[in-house]
Amino acid sequence: MRAAAGITWIRALALLAFASTAAPLRAQSLIEFDPYRVRLLVAVEAGDAPARASETLSRRVTEQVEAYIGARWSLEITSAAEPLRTAMLQDLAAVQIDALPAGWREPDKLLLATLAGAAGDWRWSVRELDVPTESWSAVLQQSTPDERALGEVAFQSLLAVFRPLAGVESTEQDLAQLRWRAGALPPRDPSLAFVQPGLLARPIIRVVDRDGATRKTQLIDWTYLIVESLQDGKGPARVYTGLRSPLAGKRRGRVQLWALAVGNVSGSTRLVLAARSADAKPLYGYEIYALRPGQPETTLMGYTNRSGSLEIPPGPDPLRLLLVKHGNEVLARLPVAPGVLPSVTACLADDDPRLRAEGFILGLQERLVDAVVRRQVMLARLKLRIDQGELDEADKLMDQLRRLDSQQQFLLALDQRQQKARSDDPSVQRKIERMFSQARELIGQYLDPAEVNRAELELDQARRGGPPPATAPPAVTPPQPMPATGAAAAQATSKTK
């Protein structure tokens, strides 16, 4: 009996251990069947009229949630207590997590709302806190003169600020597989779809403690997700990022990756470019091109001003892909969703030294092309005069040929300029050195002094009456333009309008 009892206890302990480890996995795997626990905290302005309106509003919102959303939301509406109530009425946008009452972590979505005014002038404001990621939405303010419309106004505003949340199940190249909370639960109104193709979301890393509460969250910069398709609450989203593999890598233990919809936003965003250096020098005069996701055509948005900034207005899509270009070099590819943030700052390498070097080398190329063409033409005319026995004319041509810029002169100018072309940024310095190396190869290829030496020897043999050395006539082949310093630069240049 004791042995049997011991085995029973061992089995019970094993089952308990399994249940304790399997429960989080099960909860994660069934996220698309989990409804949102939504808590609405309402701060009502003092007075009998606002109090009565608040009761009617709460009843009407509850009815509409039940009628249109159904099982996707488990809604609880309560009144905000002091001192939170006063803080909400004073400035809803200024309320932070440390001002929230105990138990604020219990729901999935915490909605803070204020009701103020009187008959003929009702003012309703609402703001959402996504509890798992501790991310706030912007404040949405609405007003109505009709007290009877308050319930409808409040319900529509709750839908507007509500931001669906998804767990990132896996990532592969530029696709992320998402599982949306409550996504497999059908709404009462089929036309009310919180998630559909084209929805824009941002990835967030969440670190939890042993109890599953959020310990730390980190928004992944310069990265957005666009939903491509959805079936039973799951589906892929396209990843657009200015970083290298931001979603790659294994997440273990208490580190989770979520995707939070950006919500209903409007307005523009100021893009600021600053040098990746201690002084954060503003990057002035950099070209900003925009393209639509999935489209190759680009449109010039403008140039950064002396503060290194440019206002990015909204476009036909919620996301704009920006190419930062300087000269022939594409420096960055940055996804920006206008209106999500008032401003974003990109720290890039100061490309001005490279651009100055590029300008010098382009000018040198023009001189090189001119010198090569003139030299090849003179060599052809010189051979013709030698063949025709017009040696005096050949001497004149040879004298002109010797006065042309030589390979040594070009290389000397290149070396002198390279000594001045310096950048503190290693990546920029490598680009500069690569440009000078390519230019040096072109000069060595097209200004070979052996061609002039052979022509001079041929003229000398003709004067002494001997047979000219067997040489092929020079071909007039001017050098090709030096390639841009980045492969992407040539592609972007060819596609830029």
Side-chain angles (χ1 to χ4, degrees):
M1 291 292 292
R2 290 181 179 178
I7 293 174
T8 302
W9 276 107
I10 291 173
R11 287 178 178 173
L13 289 173
L15 289 173
L16 181 60
F18 175 79
S20 64
T21 57
L25 299 177
R26 182 177 180 275
Q28 179 70 14
S29 65
L30 298 178
I31 183 176
E32 60 267 30
F33 294 97
D34 290 341
Y36 288 96
R37 295 165 297 172
V38 181
R39 179 178 296 173
L40 175 60
L41 283 178
V42 183
V44 182
E45 193 176 53
D48 294 337
R52 289 194 304 269
S54 174
E55 293 179 3
T56 304
L57 179 149
S58 298
R59 184 174 62 253
R60 182 57 179 156
V61 167
T62 301
E63 294 171 352
Q64 297 207 48
V65 168
E66 177 65 23
Y68 295 101
I69 300 178
R72 290 191 172 187
W73 280 19
S74 175
L75 178 65
E76 173 192 0
I77 302 178
T78 60
S79 297
E82 297 293 351
L84 178 61
R85 172 186 168 275
T86 300
M88 290 170 59
L89 289 170
Q90 286 179 347
D91 187 357
L92 185 58
V95 175
Q96 297 302 317
I97 287 177
D98 55 8
L100 299 178
W104 67 270
R105 292 182 183 273
E106 296 172 358
D108 302 305
K109 298 286 187 179
L110 184 63
L111 299 166
L112 304 186
T114 62
L115 177 63
D121 182 25
W122 295 103
R123 298 180 302 278
W124 169 264
S125 300
V126 64
R127 185 185 185 199
E128 183 218 68
L129 171 65
D130 182 77
V131 175
T133 63
E134 297 186 359
S135 170
W136 290 95
S137 74
V139 175
L140 177 62
Q141 298 177 333
Q142 293 184 311
S143 61
T144 178
D146 188 358
E147 182 178 339
R148 294 170 298 179
L150 267 176
E152 178 67 22
V153 169
F155 176 68
Q156 292 300 327
S157 68
L158 298 185
L159 297 181
V161 299
F162 179 78
R163 297 169 299 165
L165 180 68
V168 180
E169 185 177 44
S170 63
T171 57
E172 183 177 353
Q173 295 182 347
D174 59 349
L175 282 180
Q177 297 296 328
L178 306 183
R179 303 170 76 105
W180 293 91
R181 181 178 291 277
L185 300 177
R188 293 285 175 84
D189 183 355
S191 66
L192 186 60
F194 290 124
V195 181
Q196 52 189 331
L199 178 71
L200 187 65
R202 302 195 71 181
I204 299 176
I205 296 174
R206 180 190 184 214
V207 182
V208 299
D209 58 22
R210 292 182 178 181
D211 299 325
T214 302
R215 191 177 73 187
K216 178 183 177 182
T217 62
Q218 179 181 348
L219 187 68
I220 300 179
D221 293 330
W222 303 111
T223 304
Y224 289 87
L225 310 175
I226 296 182
V227 175
E228 290 205 332
S229 62
L230 189 71
Q231 184 174 6
D232 297 329
K234 300 176 289 185
R238 184 73 55 181
V239 180
Y240 295 92
T241 182
L243 309 177
R244 180 175 297 176
S245 304
L247 307 184
K250 295 182 179 180
R251 288 165 295 278
R252 299 178 180 177
R254 303 187 184 107
V255 180
Q256 305 170 351
L257 182 59
W258 297 87
L260 182 65
V262 300
N264 187 17
V265 297
S266 61
S268 60
T269 292
R270 187 167 65 103
L271 174 67
V272 181
L273 302 184
R276 193 169 54 210
S277 58
D279 60 354
K281 165 191 167 186
L283 300 181
Y284 164 63
Y286 285 52
E287 304 167 66
I288 308 297
Y289 292 85
L291 62 142
R292 300 176 65 182
Q295 301 294 327
E297 295 81 11
T298 61
T299 303
L300 178 63
M301 300 294 297
Y303 300 82
T304 56
N305 57 24
R306 294 203 172 271
S307 64
S309 65
L310 178 68
E311 202 73 18
I312 307 299
D317 303 290
L319 186 67
R320 310 197 78 162
L321 302 179
L322 305 181
L323 298 180
V324 181
K325 192 177 176 186
H326 200 217
N328 286 329
E329 183 80 0
V330 175
L331 302 179
R333 182 185 178 97
L334 305 174
V336 172
V340 172
L341 295 172
S343 66
V344 289
T345 299
C347 295
L348 308 176
D350 184 359
D351 192 59
D352 288 345
R354 187 208 59 82
L355 186 63
R356 289 192 292 268
E358 182 183 90
F360 169 78
I361 289 178
L362 289 176
L364 192 73
Q365 274 189 308
E366 294 180 2
R367 288 176 50 202
L368 177 61
V369 170
D370 180 66
V372 169
V373 171
R374 291 176 62 189
R375 190 172 78 156
Q376 298 286 35
V377 170
M378 286 184 182
L379 285 171
R381 291 173 60 193
L382 177 62
K383 181 171 178 55
L384 181 62
R385 294 292 184 268
I386 293 174
D387 292 343
Q388 294 175 349
E390 301 176 0
L391 301 185
D392 290 340
E393 292 296 325
D395 279 335
K396 295 179 182 178
L397 287 171
M398 179 56 70
D399 185 58
Q400 295 176 18
L401 192 60
R402 292 192 190 100
R403 289 199 297 267
L404 290 178
D405 288 341
S406 66
Q407 181 189 87
Q408 190 62 31
Q409 289 172 307
F410 272 93
L411 291 176
L412 179 61
L414 198 67
D415 291 339
Q416 291 175 342
R417 188 55 181 245
Q418 187 172 5
Q419 292 176 2
K420 301 177 182 179
R422 296 295 175 187
S423 171
D424 295 332
D425 191 288
S427 64
V428 175
Q429 187 60 35
R430 285 193 295 270
K431 293 176 183 178
I432 292 174
E433 291 172 358
R434 186 164 59 248
M435 285 193 300
F436 278 94
S437 177
Q438 292 171 345
R440 193 170 282 105
E441 290 177 5
L442 286 177
I443 293 170
Q445 178 182 355
Y446 290 101
L447 282 183
D448 188 353
E451 292 182 337
V452 178
N453 295 337
R454 284 194 297 268
E456 193 168 9
L457 179 60
E458 184 178 349
L459 178 58
D460 185 61
Q461 291 284 354
R463 282 198 170 280
R464 287 187 288 180
T471 58
V476 180
T477 54
Q480 298 298 315
M482 189 175 62
T485 56
Q491 181 181 6
T493 304
S494 64
K495 294 180 179 178
T496 299
K497 290 185 179 180

